[in-house]
Amino acid sequence: MRLQRVRKLILALCDIFVINLSFILALVFRFGFNVPGELIELYKMFVIPITLIYVLFFKLFNLYNSLWSYAGIDEVITIATANVLCNLIILGINIILPDYLPYSVIIFSGILITMFTMAFRLAFRFYRQFTILKNKVDKVDFKRVLIVGAGYAGINLLKDIERNPHYCYQPIGFIDDNPFKKNKLISGIKVLGCSDDIKAITDMYEIDLIILAIPSLGEELRGKLLKICSETGCEVKTMPGVWELLKDRSYINQVRGINLKDILGREPVKLDNEGIEEYITNQRVMVTGGGGSIGSELCRQIISFKPRELIILDIYENNAYNLQNELLRKHPGLNLTVLIASVRDRKRLEKIFEEYRPSVVFHAAAHKHVPLMETSPGEAIKNNVMGTLNTAECADKYGVNRFVLISTDKAVNPTNVMGASKRICEMIIQSINTKSRTEFVAVRFGNVLGSNGSVIPLFENQIQEGGPVTVTHKDITRYFMLIPEAAQLVLQAGAYAKGGEIFVLDMGSPVRIYDMAEDIIRLSGYEPHKDIKIQVTGLRPGEKLYEELLMDEEGLKNTDHEKIFIGKPGEFDFHEVKRQINELLDVVAFGTKEQIKDKVAEVVPTYYREDRDNYSAVEENYSLKEITDKKSYLLNRM
């Protein structure tokens, strides 16, 4: 702050010197070195008011606040306008006064003042440009930049790059699909070709970095352009959309690396807000697992529909605490309750439901990591299955209007315990719906990019460490969705609920993970298999080559939303499902991992275990009756 005041004072002193020098030169130009004594005395009398008028107007026009190192045509116009107005005012005063300076002296002095003040300020810009040119010659570490998009954003990005030499970017040319711009110069930089020429141009001009500078570009077209850019071997960055740019007028600061949304290249989800408002606005809404990736995003989006109260329930206090701070900071008037509790604890759940009486429950609490649940199958059953049963029965008992289970594509023909446990959760929802006034539904979708443990952050970390990037199988494919996209569609599916449905979200086309790894490496500026290796590690226990979103027997119906479909409700008896779950919980408590998986296979006929033949005959003959006997024996000893 003190430095700024000193800078303004120096500029003002320089202006005072220039103003007076200009008047003296104007007098000398008009009369030579024989200036009449009375004019010198008249000038001495007027010098202070004239100087004050100029300095005051320069201050009003913010000529002491501008960064003249970055001056452009706007600043030149401002200087000229301020000087012309001052000159006209002084001419007007000169006419009124009985004793006056010659008009020629005032006009010529005004011209000189304009020239001097403009030259003095633009000298900062010229010096800076000279420094940039010198740096371009002296420094070999400047990245050669190709800007895709020669529109308003691209031109302003170019200006920002030129104003910020510390970024070490050297603009080489533009790419634009407008044929009238080809070979034209824009701010001294040539439009080299169209998007089809990107590969050839990057090779010809030895480009290091490509910046996509078309904020208005749709996500699908952006994805196609990024695909072209990824094949060049250059580092690729992009600018955000128009609405993000409006928050910050600095273009160079908004240039960022490629994110998950760019890679998927999908258009934003459109919601039927009225349908969502009908069941959320002014209601008590509970989100179990509210601190997790999906749960926390659900909470963020639920807030926009103005619930009477948002109840976040989670067992992990750190996530819940961080989310609480975030929501209250952004929404100070929010009626928020954060509860630390486990969905496994039935008594605790009963007290919570009895006290808070939620109208809508989004059940997102679950263990989700496939390999971890293969080695700890009992935890998957206790948390996912027992937790869902507890929460669903409490919802039924305490009159919840709508219950939405967050499910997964891994529940379809599951090959792992996690997927099978979620299929049992779906069975609970579909069976309890037949006897309850609560509308129970499930929403099924695939992998969520950006969630804890998802594949892209893993790839990015591996690339930063120099590789290798690990992929479990060269042909493995997955459906992907962004966290906000998934949360929005979950809310929308809840609006269509009538009870018993499994809503299936359109995840787009499945993505080959190996191709995704190659694209991310290229977009990071490296060459796959050369700079960064890709290592195939083999499928993990319970991992499929591909995922399915719909079971064969379910069928598929459209909804009013193009990305949401309804699977045919399954026919399950709640008492039978609950009996099977209780038996399964006995096995969890008293059996082995293999016996847990065997029992899961009894409950979920579509559960397929590739490792089934590896178990010994001893394990095979260890029956449910023996487990029951063991349970009775241990209970009697307690």
Side-chain angles (χ1 to χ4, degrees):
M1 187 64 71
R2 185 178 177 183
L3 186 62
Q4 288 180 351
R5 288 175 182 169
V6 171
R7 178 181 163 278
K8 290 178 182 180
L9 179 61
I10 292 172
L11 274 175
L13 290 173
C14 290
D15 285 339
I16 292 170
F17 173 76
V18 163
I19 291 163
N20 288 275
L21 176 64
S22 297
F23 267 94
I24 292 169
L25 290 176
L27 286 168
V28 170
F29 179 80
R30 172 67 176 78
F31 297 101
F33 288 99
N34 297 313
V35 180
E38 61 270 18
L39 287 181
I40 294 176
E41 292 302 317
L42 197 60
Y43 168 69
K44 288 179 181 178
M45 186 171 62
F46 287 159
V47 64
I48 293 177
I50 288 171
T51 303
L52 286 175
I53 288 171
Y54 270 98
V55 172
L56 178 63
F57 267 78
F58 285 1
K59 182 174 177 59
L60 289 174
F61 277 76
N62 286 317
L63 297 189
Y64 299 122
N65 291 328
S66 299
L67 294 173
W68 295 104
S69 298
Y70 307 122
I73 188 65
D74 292 340
E75 285 76 15
V76 170
I77 293 172
T78 302
I79 294 172
T81 304
N83 277 285
V84 168
L85 285 174
C86 288
N87 206 245
L88 289 174
I89 290 171
I90 292 169
L91 274 172
I93 295 172
N94 197 57
I95 292 170
I96 296 170
L97 296 175
D99 299 321
Y100 57 88
L101 291 167
Y103 296 136
S104 58
V105 170
I106 294 174
I107 292 171
F108 188 61
S109 67
I111 294 171
L112 289 176
I113 292 170
T114 303
M115 291 171 57
F116 287 149
T117 54
M118 194 176 293
F120 175 67
R121 283 162 170 78
L122 291 181
F124 293 99
R125 169 70 186 268
F126 294 141
Y127 173 76
R128 188 176 163 281
Q129 290 298 109
F130 172 77
T131 305
I132 291 173
L133 290 173
K134 185 175 181 296
N135 284 337
K136 287 181 179 179
V137 174
D138 294 347
K139 291 188 177 181
V140 295
D141 59 345
F142 268 55
K143 289 186 177 180
R144 297 171 64 82
V145 177
L146 182 67
I147 300 174
V148 179
Y152 183 81
I155 294 168
N156 279 280
L157 173 63
L158 172 64
K159 291 178 180 178
D160 278 357
I161 289 174
E162 291 176 342
R163 292 170 183 169
N164 295 276
H166 58 276
Y167 283 106
C168 295
Y169 290 162
Q170 182 180 358
I172 301 300
F174 284 106
I175 291 291
D176 201 288
D177 285 336
N178 186 340
F180 297 104
K181 293 183 180 180
K182 188 172 182 180
N183 295 323
K184 299 292 191 302
L185 288 175
I186 299 177
S187 297
I189 300 297
K190 191 175 183 180
V191 178
L192 300 173
C194 64
S195 55
D196 293 335
D197 304 322
I198 289 176
K199 181 69 171 70
I201 288 170
T202 54
D203 292 339
M204 183 184 303
Y205 291 91
E206 299 180 345
I207 300 299
D208 301 309
L209 171 65
I210 300 172
I211 301 179
L212 187 57
I214 314 176
S216 60
L217 196 65
E219 297 303 328
E220 189 173 345
L221 289 175
R222 184 186 295 270
K224 289 179 180 177
L225 259 179
L226 288 173
K227 184 69 175 176
I228 294 172
C229 295
S230 71
E231 295 170 355
T232 64
C234 301
E235 182 183 359
V236 182
K237 293 190 176 184
T238 186
M239 291 175 65
V242 175
W243 292 109
E244 293 172 275
L245 275 175
L246 290 176
K247 299 175 187 175
D248 185 351
R249 300 303 298 176
S250 171
Y251 285 76
I252 185 66
N253 289 336
Q254 297 253 17
V255 171
R256 55 168 172 77
I258 304 305
N259 64 21
L260 313 178
K261 184 178 178 183
D262 300 320
I263 292 170
L264 279 185
R266 287 216 291 266
E267 296 298 326
V269 173
K270 296 177 182 177
L271 297 179
D272 169 20
N273 289 339
E274 288 186 10
I276 298 173
E277 287 172 353
E278 284 181 10
Y279 80 100
I280 287 183
T281 300
N282 204 31
Q283 301 295 319
R284 287 192 175 91
V285 182
M286 175 187 286
V287 182
T288 70
S293 303
I294 295 295
S296 61
E297 184 61 28
L298 276 171
C299 293
R300 294 183 188 100
Q301 297 197 24
I302 286 168
I303 290 170
S304 64
F305 294 97
K306 297 180 174 55
R308 181 191 304 176
E309 181 180 11
L310 176 61
I311 304 161
I312 297 174
L313 188 148
D314 204 294
I315 188 59
Y316 186 47
E317 61 176 319
N318 291 350
N319 280 353
Y321 177 74
N322 291 336
L323 182 61
Q324 179 185 45
N325 289 342
E326 174 196 331
L327 297 182
L328 291 178
R329 184 177 67 253
K330 293 180 179 178
H331 307 275
L334 175 66
N335 184 10
L336 177 66
T337 301
V338 178
L339 303 171
I340 302 302
S342 171
V343 291
R344 300 181 183 189
D345 188 341
R346 179 59 177 266
K347 290 182 179 178
R348 171 77 169 134
L349 279 183
E350 289 267 3
K351 290 180 180 178
I352 289 171
F353 273 82
E354 184 178 17
E355 180 177 354
Y356 292 95
R357 301 280 177 165
S359 301
V360 182
V361 173
F362 292 94
H363 182 53
H367 286 322
K368 65 175 185 178
H369 291 286
V370 170
L372 293 179
M373 294 305 101
E374 286 301 294
T375 55
S376 303
E379 297 307 302
I381 301 305
K382 286 188 286 186
N383 200 57
N384 296 1
V385 177
M386 185 170 70
T388 298
L389 180 61
N390 287 342
T391 313
E393 288 190 317
C394 285
D396 173 47
K397 181 176 179 180
Y398 292 97
V400 170
N401 294 332
R402 194 161 300 179
F403 184 104
V404 181
L405 166 73
I406 308 301
S407 190
T408 170
D409 57 356
K410 293 175 177 63
V412 184
N413 299 322
T415 59
N416 51 70
V417 171
M418 196 285 286
S421 71
K422 295 300 281 185
R423 179 55 188 155
I424 300 174
C425 295
E426 293 179 352
M427 292 163 59
I428 293 169
I429 295 310
Q430 291 188 312
S431 62
I432 197 172
N433 183 74
T434 60
K435 69 175 219 46
S436 175
R437 287 179 296 178
T438 301
E439 294 170 341
F440 287 92
V441 297
V443 181
R444 183 189 291 165
F445 50 86
N447 297 273
V448 178
L449 285 176
S451 64
N452 296 327
S454 66
V455 66
I456 288 189
L458 172 64
F459 286 169
E460 289 173 339
N461 290 336
Q462 290 174 334
I463 290 169
Q464 288 176 3
E465 293 169 0
V469 170
T470 56
V471 178
T472 58
H473 195 285
K474 198 165 186 178
D475 296 320
I476 194 168
T477 62
R478 288 291 181 266
Y479 290 95
F480 284 106
M481 184 171 276
L482 299 170
I483 293 176
E485 191 178 14
Q488 287 169 355
L489 289 174
V490 167
L491 291 178
Q492 186 68 76
Y496 298 146
K498 294 197 170 38
E501 302 98 335
I502 293 181
F503 291 97
V504 181
L505 305 188
D506 178 6
M507 305 286 294
S509 301
V511 178
R512 188 168 174 256
I513 304 299
Y514 196 88
D515 294 340
M516 179 182 281
E518 289 183 325
D519 286 343
I520 294 173
I521 292 170
R522 290 192 188 99
L523 292 169
S524 300
Y526 301 102
E527 184 66 30
H529 314 294
K530 182 180 177 183
D531 302 321
I532 302 288
K533 302 292 183 185
I534 298 179
Q535 181 180 345
V536 178
T537 58
L539 290 174
R540 297 172 296 182
E543 189 173 33
K544 285 183 180 181
L545 268 180
Y546 61 92
E547 302 289 2
E548 306 157 82
L549 286 177
L550 193 67
M551 297 179 71
D552 292 337
E553 69 270 18
E554 286 180 316
L556 197 65
K557 283 170 47 181
N558 292 330
T559 66
D560 291 337
H561 197 286
E562 59 182 4
K563 288 184 174 288
I564 301 175
F565 302 88
I566 301 176
K568 180 183 175 182
E571 297 180 0
F572 301 101
D573 178 75
F574 178 68
H575 297 292
E576 176 60 21
V577 170
K578 190 171 179 180
R579 182 191 65 78
Q580 290 179 311
I581 290 172
N582 287 332
E583 289 182 356
L584 176 57
L585 291 173
D586 285 344
V587 178
V588 167
F590 302 103
T592 64
K593 288 193 297 186
E594 286 71 27
Q595 289 165 347
I596 294 171
K597 293 178 181 179
D598 283 346
K599 185 59 182 175
V600 169
E602 287 183 29
V603 181
V604 183
T606 55
Y607 172 39
Y608 173 71
R609 295 174 59 196
E610 292 181 345
D611 58 349
R612 187 66 190 86
D613 296 334
N614 296 333
Y615 302 140
S616 67
V618 174
E619 297 285 3
E620 187 76 42
N621 293 329
Y622 196 52
S623 66
L624 178 61
K625 182 178 184 304
E626 290 173 291
I627 290 173
T628 305
D629 291 343
K630 181 178 180 182
K631 173 186 175 183
S632 300
Y633 172 73
L634 290 173
L635 289 174
N636 288 333
R637 292 190 60 185
M638 291 174 66

